Amino acid sequence: MSEHWYEQHRPRFERAQQACRERHCWSPFAEMPGLYPDAAGAQARAQQGFAAQLGRPFVLEQPGRIGSLGEEVSPYTQEPLGIAYPQADIDTLFDAAEHAMPAWAAASIEVRIGALMELLDRLYREHLFEIATAVMHTAGQSANMAYAGSGVNALDRGIEALVQAEQAMRAVPAQARWQRGFGSAEIVLDKTYRLVPRGVAVCFACASFPTWNAWPSMLASLATGNPVIVKPHPASVLPMAITVRVLRQVLVEAGFDANLVTMALDSTAEPLGKRLVQHPLTRIVDFTGSARFGQWVERNAHPAIVFSETSGCNTVVLESVADLDAVLRALATTMCLFSAQMCTSPQNLYLPRAGVRTPAGLVPLDEVAQRLAAAIDAVASDPKRAAMLLAAIQSPQTLDLLQEMTVQGASAGRVLLAPRPYAHPEYPNARTSTPLLVQTDKTQRGLYGQERFGPIGFVVACDDAADALAQATADVREFGGLTAFVYSQDEAFIAAAEDAYARAGAQLTINLSGPMPLNFAAAYSDYHVTGLNPAGNASLTDLAFVAARFRIVQSRRPAALQPDLQPDLQETTP
């Protein structure tokens, strides 16, 4: 069955290979909900299925069940989902994964890739709106973002991981004949090279974007022969539970043990993360989440290898612009997108104290800050637009942080925009907030020198443009940063910024404005994270993201040659 799947999905896979080579725009999926076949019917079925699941046990057959857990609360209704998921004994899950691995590891590359491409196709055709609805009511994303970012774009990242995995594995030949003279003797050896998976992978899914990082991580491990134990965030279990259930069904249909993929559920009160990381059978850890726990994982996972994405201060440097209003509108929209609950959201804007150069002359810093605040407020003051862009706040802790940062911002600078709830037009009880924007200066690194997760931004006054660039890149090197943005009409300054951000290890966007969100990361084209600063040690999705998930073991023996090819052994006889 899975060999048939490989041939069935080969055209799509080969097209993805081309996109990865050329790094151009491509997706096999409908990128907007309205373009999806039978979108209205699929959405209606998803809503009905979600409503039917509320307050009921989630059916997921896996070994070692010891009870049930579930503590999800919808950010839109602020009511518990009431879904009870199976809780499993951790040791039993690891034992089951180890038992399932040999047959999967022995399968051909084509069989594994075929099964995983079938999974992605099935998630798209049969479960996309179901997963989008689950993401919306656990992570708080808008319906459009849940479809596009946590659905289609996450599927693309999954295919991209399979392309890189296939390339890494194909680079190793299955066998070779080696021949060399030693003195008067000619030695001929037949060598075989075996790809051996590292072992059980533990994949941590984050609360605000559960599928986007988890799907490529899971597929990178599975494609290279490793079983996966998924550890969802207790607040966002449903999207990953659906994924695990579908993947287990696909594996069984392909003739393999479903326990190649299982789910380890924990609670906020009794977390399992450290046990999973330090379990003696853990060999791979994919972690997306807080910088604090991510650093612990990186320090304590040995002998497992770690692929991490944590958090950082995403920076913007404004030196000079052709159209200040267009730039500020683009920044405001991106800072509002999903209430900045994205790892790529810009947070700190570094400006020369004298202001920003424009074709109309120098615009003072205070005026730039006020105009940015007005652009953000224009988004937040329109409930319909706010619902589409700001969406909902995933965690109540983010609201607490907003209040704390408002107080600190007032004492360390000037509050340009104070956060307030906005009235969601569809969900009157939604957990919402407009952004906080604080104006301060470079001496207040204790305020802005770390990721403040949520709709929080800082305008930072610096001595001049060179100092703004130096401060921004220093903060990236020290505190981490995934994305960076520079606006300048000076090519020499742009060249300096490219060099500085390359050394700091942040992906840089230059002079972008317009309708595209500034932090949009395109699968098959954009590398996500560099691994060169504290914001993470891995990149989605390059060869390094997959190649270390297997190792190469060889065997060699004297070749069985034809009689006329036998080396002359007479001369070597003592």
Side-chain angles (χ1 to χ4, degrees):
M1 176 66 76
S2 48
E3 289 178 352
H4 168 70
W5 284 337
Y6 183 79
E7 291 304 318
Q8 177 184 334
H9 299 299
R10 183 198 287 269
R12 176 178 289 177
F13 189 73
E14 290 179 345
R15 186 65 184 80
Q17 290 175 310
Q18 178 188 356
C20 286
R21 285 194 303 271
E22 299 176 3
R23 314 307 295 179
H24 59 232
C25 178
W26 175 77
S27 175
F29 309 114
E31 295 182 290
M32 294 298 294
L35 302 176
Y36 187 89
D38 186 28
Q43 287 175 308
R45 290 189 294 274
Q47 292 289 344
Q48 292 166 2
F50 176 73
Q53 180 65 74
L54 295 177
R56 303 174 68 87
F58 186 90
V59 178
L60 178 64
E61 298 296 332
Q62 59 178 27
R65 180 163 184 166
I66 56 175
S68 298
L69 284 175
E71 57 184 62
E72 295 161 302
V73 174
S74 169
Y76 284 96
T77 65
Q78 298 204 59
E79 295 179 357
L81 301 190
I83 303 173
Y85 302 92
Q87 182 186 18
D89 173 72
I90 298 306
D91 291 330
T92 302
L93 293 185
F94 275 96
D95 290 342
E98 286 272 300
H99 178 77
M101 183 168 59
W104 181 247
S108 69
I109 295 172
E110 292 83 1
V111 165
R112 292 201 297 261
I113 296 292
L116 298 173
M117 286 294 290
E118 173 65 17
L119 163 72
L120 294 170
D121 184 64
R122 205 171 289 189
L123 288 175
Y124 176 70
R125 288 186 295 105
E126 301 177 11
H127 301 279
L128 187 57
F129 283 98
E130 179 186 6
I131 288 172
T133 303
V135 168
M136 182 178 174
H137 283 283
T138 55
Q141 296 177 24
S142 68
N144 280 356
M145 175 173 279
Y147 173 92
S150 295
V152 167
N153 198 240
L155 292 172
D156 280 327
R157 284 295 188 187
I159 296 179
E160 189 178 21
L162 295 183
V163 168
Q164 300 292 353
E166 193 263 359
Q167 181 179 342
M169 292 185 290
R170 296 282 192 210
V172 183
Q175 56 191 24
R177 175 157 289 180
W178 182 88
Q179 186 169 345
R180 180 187 159 176
F182 284 84
S184 59
E186 192 73 13
I187 303 300
V188 183
L189 299 177
D190 280 338
K191 301 185 179 184
T192 61
Y193 305 95
R194 182 177 299 187
L195 307 183
V196 179
R198 278 191 177 269
V200 181
V202 174
C203 177
F204 287 78
C206 70
S208 56
F209 259 88
T211 62
W212 201 87
N213 291 80
W215 283 356
S217 298
M218 293 168 65
L219 294 177
S221 287
L222 286 163
T224 50
N226 306 280
V228 177
I229 297 175
V230 179
K231 213 297 281 183
H233 191 283
S236 298
V237 179
L238 185 56
M240 299 315 300
I242 295 168
T243 301
V244 169
R245 183 165 64 187
V246 176
L247 183 44
R248 286 171 64 86
Q249 293 167 353
V250 170
L251 289 167
V252 170
E253 290 178 34
F256 295 97
D257 191 330
N259 294 326
L260 285 163
V261 178
T262 54
M263 185 173 75
L265 190 62
D266 64 358
S267 65
T268 304
E270 297 182 6
L272 285 174
K274 291 185 176 181
R275 280 187 59 195
L276 291 167
V277 169
Q278 295 188 314
H279 194 280
L281 293 180
T282 298
R283 290 296 176 266
I284 300 168
V285 177
D286 285 283
F287 178 80
T288 305
S290 71
R292 179 176 298 179
F293 189 60
Q295 290 166 3
W296 183 93
V297 171
E298 291 173 356
R299 290 193 302 265
N300 293 277
H302 184 78
I305 59 170
V306 176
F307 301 91
S308 68
E309 181 204 307
T310 56
S311 60
C313 301
N314 296 322
T315 59
V316 182
V317 176
L318 282 173
E319 186 269 337
S320 57
V321 298
D323 185 338
L324 182 59
D325 286 334
V327 169
L328 295 180
R329 281 195 302 270
L331 285 168
T333 299
T334 305
M335 293 172 76
C336 287
L337 191 61
F338 188 31
S339 294
Q341 297 169 111
M342 306 168 68
C343 59
T344 54
S345 298
Q347 176 181 290
N348 299 342
L349 285 73
Y350 302 78
L351 280 69
R353 196 175 300 276
V356 175
R357 292 190 298 116
T358 75
L362 193 68
V363 178
L365 183 147
D366 286 353
E367 182 180 339
V368 174
Q370 290 288 356
R371 285 164 69 172
L372 174 62
I376 293 173
D377 194 50
V379 174
S381 298
D382 178 351
K384 185 175 180 180
R385 193 175 178 205
M388 186 168 56
L389 286 176
L390 286 164
I393 300 295
Q394 195 277 325
S395 170
Q397 283 72 35
T398 301
L399 296 181
D400 295 339
L401 179 63
L402 279 162
Q403 296 306 311
E404 178 187 341
M405 288 295 100
T406 301
V407 173
Q408 290 190 28
S411 63
R414 181 158 61 111
V415 175
L416 300 171
L417 278 179
R420 65 184 188 278
Y422 77 87
H424 195 286
E426 235 184 301
Y427 295 94
N429 295 323
R431 185 189 301 123
T432 66
S433 177
T434 61
L436 164 68
L437 186 64
V438 174
Q439 183 176 340
T440 184
D441 62 49
K442 67 177 185 178
T443 64
Q444 302 298 321
R445 289 181 93 204
L447 177 67
Y448 65 81
Q450 60 179 288
E451 183 186 53
R452 302 297 190 180
F453 189 75
I456 300 170
F458 301 95
V459 177
V460 182
C462 302
D463 296 341
D464 52 28
D467 184 48
L469 178 59
Q471 294 295 328
T473 51
D475 288 347
V476 171
R477 289 193 300 273
E478 183 173 349
F479 305 119
L482 285 78
T483 56
F485 310 87
V486 164
Y487 292 88
S488 176
Q489 302 303 295
D490 183 337
E491 288 299 328
F493 187 84
I494 290 172
E498 288 185 296
D499 288 343
Y501 274 111
R503 291 192 298 272
Q507 312 289 21
L508 179 62
T509 299
I510 302 164
N511 289 340
L512 180 63
S513 60
M516 188 184 99
L518 303 181
N519 58 343
F520 176 76
Y524 316 109
S525 184
D526 291 324
Y527 293 102
H528 175 68
V529 192
T530 64
L532 293 174
N533 65 55
N537 70 1
S539 179
L540 293 184
T541 40
D542 58 9
L543 280 174
F545 185 68
V546 298
R549 295 174 192 260
F550 66 88
R551 306 311 299 156
I552 303 162
V553 178
Q554 72 172 37
S555 62
R556 57 187 185 173
R557 60 191 299 175
L561 300 178
Q562 298 296 325
D564 59 340
L565 296 179
Q566 289 287 350
D568 185 359
L569 302 180
Q570 185 65 38
E571 298 180 13
T572 63
T573 303

